[in-house]
Amino acid sequence: INILFLFILLLNIACKKEKLESQASTIKISTYSEGKEIGINEAISLYSGIPYKITILKYYISNIRLVNHQGEEISFKMDKENLGADLGVFLFDLGKNEKITGSLPENHYTKLKFDLGLNTALNNIDPNPFSALHPLSRDQDMFWDMLKYRFVVMEGLIDTTKMNLYNFPFSYHLGGEEFLRNIVLNIDWNIKSSENSTLPFRFDLDKIFTDGTDNIDILTFFSYHSIDDQKEIGLKMMDNISNSFE
């Protein structure tokens, strides 16, 4: 009887521990410029003072992991409402899809890791079988037969007159194995039982066109689609984008 009682007690403890280990968690990405949160079609000023607006900003985040204070790396388990959960893929879309819901074990986390873009296996997936809302679907307009998946798409309008006319379009489609970036952010995130916890982090638009030393001139480099021509500047822009998360 004592052995049976002990077994039941240990089983109950294990079940409670398992229940506590899976807590609702949300990762929220906010887009900023000059300390202000930015949305679609809002005026932004470049380092050079040239105004521009973003009409599309989409990028893939995949392979999300967190490191707890014990140094263990834990995968972020996305909720099934994220249609890319089975593949660990999230498509950020400014103004439309900015939160990643999922769950994590109760713990204190000190690092957030993810891939900006898609690894080789994901990049080679056929987009055609997916439903329209799946992040890897052809309907998302992120797949190009020659390039495969675009990792980052950023489009908008520049006001070259500085008279609120926004008369000149720009377009950046960055993709391919050379453009995959691994992001590591220092964080301070406590996941507690029975608490839906949110980790906010920022994407700083001001860092895309300058790293503080070298600048990218939007008036001369206004269109790039990951081909060999101007690849050096395209890769520099991808480096800047990867350093824009904070």
Side-chain angles (χ1 to χ4, degrees), residues 9-139:
L9 179 62
L10 291 174
L11 184 63
N12 286 335
I13 292 172
C15 289
K16 289 178 181 178
K17 183 179 180 182
E18 183 178 354
K19 184 178 179 181
L20 288 173
E21 283 183 347
S22 183
Q23 304 302 327
S25 310
T26 301
I27 297 173
K28 173 69 170 68
I29 309 165
S30 299
T31 305
Y32 274 75
S33 174
E34 297 182 333
K36 176 187 174 184
E37 189 165 3
I38 295 296
I40 292 293
N41 287 315
E42 291 189 32
I44 309 164
S45 181
L46 283 171
Y47 64 88
S48 56
I50 295 174
Y52 74 102
K53 292 181 178 180
I54 292 174
T55 55
I56 299 174
L57 177 61
K58 301 172 76 172
Y59 50 82
Y60 283 113
I61 287 178
S62 59
N63 190 26
I64 303 172
R65 298 97 65 211
L66 290 105
V67 178
N68 61 29
H69 74 284
Q70 294 97 339
E72 301 169 319
E73 191 170 281
I74 309 295
S75 294
F76 183 76
K77 185 179 179 181
M78 291 187 196
D79 288 343
K80 291 183 179 179
E81 66 184 52
N82 300 295
L83 295 184
D86 55 332
L87 298 171
V89 176
F90 175 78
L91 179 59
F92 175 91
D93 191 350
L94 182 61
K96 297 178 181 178
N97 198 30
E98 302 174 326
K99 293 192 298 184
I100 314 171
T101 58
S103 60
L104 277 170
E106 180 181 350
N107 213 316
H108 176 212
Y109 294 92
T110 59
K111 291 186 185 297
L112 170 67
K113 297 182 176 183
F114 60 88
D115 293 342
L116 177 61
L118 305 172
N119 63 28
T120 301
L122 292 171
N123 198 34
N124 284 323
I125 290 178
D126 180 3
N128 293 304
F130 295 113
S131 63
L133 295 179
H134 193 284
L136 297 181
S137 166
R138 190 178 286 273
D139 293 75

Side-chain angles (χ1 to χ4, degrees), residues 209-216 236 240:
F209 294 96
T210 181
D211 62 4
T213 303
D214 296 323
N215 301 327
I216 296 173
K236 172 62 178 173
N240 287 355

Side-chain angles (χ1 to χ4, degrees), residues 118-121 123-124 147-148 151 175-181:
L118 305 172
N119 63 28
T120 301
N123 198 34
N124 284 323
L147 180 66
K148 298 183 181 176
F151 296 167
E177 290 187 3
E178 292 179 83
F179 289 85
L180 178 65
R181 296 292 182 270

